[in-house]
Amino acid sequence: MDLKKLVSNSFRFPFRNIKKLPIIFLFFILIAIIPIGMISNNDYIVAIGVIAFFLFILLVPGYFLSIVKLGSSQSAMMPSFNLVNNIYDSIRVLSLRIVYMIVPAAVFLLALKTVGPASRDMIYNYRIPEFLAAVGLLLVVIFIVYIIFEFLLFFAKARLAYFNSLQEALKINKVIEDIRRIGIVTIIKWLIVMAILLNVVTFVSSFVIAIPYVGLLIYICIVIPILESIANYSLGLLYSNIIQGYDDADLMNMKKIESIEYKKIK
């Protein structure tokens, strides 16, 4: 699928499923309860909002993973809500993020341990330029490492969605191979186009926040879920470009892994 068709199909996806969009809207109402409670200065609503927030974390990542999966198979249908599957998938997505963020977190802690004492000496000795340079370099290194692993996590999520296997998604060498199959140039073009379009839509739609009382609620519960649906479906479509590259042996192996993981759940 070429980039133009990929992007156009991504933006059409939510609106082809108007009847199922309220499912996503209801998910995002869960996180809207906290600001509603804070605005109304009602501790009970805030408490309910905290509980709703945890429900949001348990449901939404898994639901959006199913949207990525639909994109990878180039299906235009919005997934149905399934409590057990959504929670299970959310746990896998969150586990995947934790594992992929271990290295950035380790780099951050190591940098604090090694550069921290030296930085304090620079401040005590009024070596401000050296301190700023050291902190700046430290932040740049941490940021680069974070971006690299966030990028890998992006496609690990697509691999998880397609193969339905956390074990496969944790294979960084396979994720890197997937990225190579798609093509760095293609990915960069896709990222630039999607980032520009999504930011334009975000900017234009942000004016609804100015609507008294309900503006913020409309933005959180309608605009954001639609944008998230577009982004996740687009990731699935991008990943679908390399699926033909997997041979039958690969797919049979994935089916065995999926069967084993399913038995473990049971």
Side-chain angles (χ1 to χ4, degrees), residues 96-106 145-146 149-150 153:
L96 193 66
R97 171 164 287 279
I98 290 171
V99 172
Y100 272 78
M101 288 297 108
I102 287 175
V103 172
V145 173
Y146 170 78
F149 278 86
E150 188 70 37
L153 176 61

Side-chain angles (χ1 to χ4, degrees), residues 26-40 42 44-53 55 217 220-221:
L26 288 173
F27 284 154
F28 279 78
I29 287 175
L30 293 175
I31 58 171
I33 295 175
I34 293 180
I36 290 172
M38 294 176 69
I39 292 172
S40 62
N42 189 314
Y44 292 107
I45 296 179
V46 172
I48 294 171
V50 171
I51 297 171
F53 176 73
L55 287 174
L217 188 63
I220 293 175
C221 300

Side-chain angles (χ1 to χ4, degrees), residues 111-125 127 130-131 134:
L112 285 181
K113 185 176 180 179
T114 55
V115 180
S119 299
R120 286 195 296 270
D121 291 338
M122 292 177 191
I123 294 176
Y124 292 150
N125 295 317
R127 294 153 57 190
E130 294 179 29
F131 168 76

Side-chain angles (χ1 to χ4, degrees), residues 13-86:
F13 169 71
F15 305 103
R16 286 175 173 171
N17 299 272
I18 294 295
K19 292 182 179 179
K20 287 190 176 182
L21 276 179
I23 295 174
I24 307 180
F25 299 160
L26 288 173
F27 284 154
F28 279 78
I29 287 175
L30 293 175
I31 58 171
I33 295 175
I34 293 180
I36 290 172
M38 294 176 69
I39 292 172
S40 62
N41 197 26
N42 189 314
D43 293 337
Y44 292 107
I45 296 179
V46 172
I48 294 171
V50 171
I51 297 171
F53 176 73
F54 283 106
L55 287 174
F56 177 87
I57 293 175
L58 283 174
L59 293 172
V60 174
Y63 187 82
F64 280 130
L65 182 70
S66 60
I67 291 180
V68 177
K69 188 170 186 176
L70 286 178
S72 67
S73 61
Q74 298 188 14
S75 171
M77 296 298 295
M78 185 78 78
S80 299
F81 171 69
N82 185 303
L83 180 63
V84 175
N85 288 343
N86 291 153

